[in-house]
């Protein structure tokens, strides 16, 4: 049986569409099979192609998105439980464990650190302007 080769541009478009699907739905309960179905590939073939394009597996990318959004929400003072459910983690314990593994601190420690930094910025904003930039503007710090 002869098969017609699929043009690479089609493959890349499908991978990009799948990435955009992850971007739009990272907070939902999505898995490799669902994402691969969006791209119209088997999950094994899709996994390989996605990693080839983005140097991350689809699930590594999904975790990356979720953790970045979690950091943004934690920085705003939102509770760990709310953050956990907002970004698509099913349990707080798995979220905390994964966050600590990636950020080398717990979400609570991260949140406290950001609160302290936010207060420092409010009290003395000039301390947070890069010296080179201030000198460029002619400021004396």
């Amino acid at each position: 049986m002869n098969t017609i080769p699929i043009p690479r541009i089609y493959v890349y478009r499908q991978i990009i569409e799948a990435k955009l699907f992850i971007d739009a739905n990272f907070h939902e309960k999505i898995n490799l099979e669902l994402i691969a179905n969006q791209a119209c590939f088997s999950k094994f073939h899709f996994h390989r192609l996605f990693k080839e394009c983005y140097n991350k597996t689809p699930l590594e990318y999904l975790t990356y998105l979720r953790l970045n959004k979690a950091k943004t929400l934690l920085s705003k003072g939102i509770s760990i439980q709310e953050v956990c459910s907002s970004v698509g983690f099913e349990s707080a314990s798995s979220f905390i464990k994964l966050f600590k593994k990636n950020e080398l601190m717990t979400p609570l420690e991260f949140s406290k650190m950001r609160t302290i930094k936010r207060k420092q910025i409010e009290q003395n904003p000039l301390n947070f302007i890069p010296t080179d930039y201030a000198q460029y503007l002619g400021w004396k710090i």
Side-chain angles (χ1 to χ4, degrees):
M1 181 168 103
N2 290 337
T3 59
I4 300 169
I6 299 172
R8 291 301 274 177
I9 192 71
Y10 171 81
V11 172
Y12 292 137
R13 278 191 188 129
Q14 294 305 103
I15 297 300
I16 291 167
E17 287 296 323
K19 181 192 171 292
L20 293 173
F21 175 79
I22 297 169
D23 292 343
N25 297 286
F26 72 89
H27 57 284
E28 301 290 334
K29 185 177 180 177
I30 57 177
N31 58 32
L32 180 61
E33 192 161 347
L34 179 62
I35 301 165
N37 285 342
Q38 290 293 314
C40 300
F41 293 117
S42 75
K43 62 183 179 181
F44 304 107
H45 188 56
F46 172 73
H47 186 275
R48 184 179 56 76
L49 291 171
F50 191 94
K51 181 150 185 164
E52 182 181 306
C53 289
Y54 293 106
N55 293 322
K56 285 182 177 17
T57 69
L59 296 181
E60 287 171 343
Y61 180 70
L62 176 61
T63 300
Y64 166 81
L65 285 178
R66 287 177 171 172
L67 290 176
N68 276 351
K69 183 63 174 179
K71 290 190 291 187
T72 300
L73 295 173
L74 289 168
S75 295
K76 294 178 180 180
I78 297 174
S79 76
I80 293 170
Q81 192 62 45
E82 284 181 80
V83 170
C84 179
S85 62
S86 295
V87 298
F89 286 99
E90 292 186 26
S91 77
S93 61
S94 65
F95 166 65
I96 292 167
K97 185 177 179 180
L98 191 59
F99 191 95
K100 186 171 183 174
K101 179 182 175 191
N102 283 272
E103 300 301 319
L104 305 177
M105 66 179 73
T106 67
L108 184 59
E109 292 168 334
F110 180 86
S111 183
K112 286 179 180 177
M113 180 188 74
R114 292 302 252 225
T115 300
I116 291 168
K117 188 168 186 170
R118 194 170 46 248
K119 286 180 183 176
Q120 290 173 339
I121 290 170
E122 287 171 5
Q123 291 171 354
N124 205 346
L126 292 179
N127 286 346
F128 295 89
I129 295 175
T131 306
D132 293 346
Y133 185 68
Q135 288 173 346
Y136 168 77
L137 294 175
W139 299 352
K140 293 182 181 182
I141 295 183

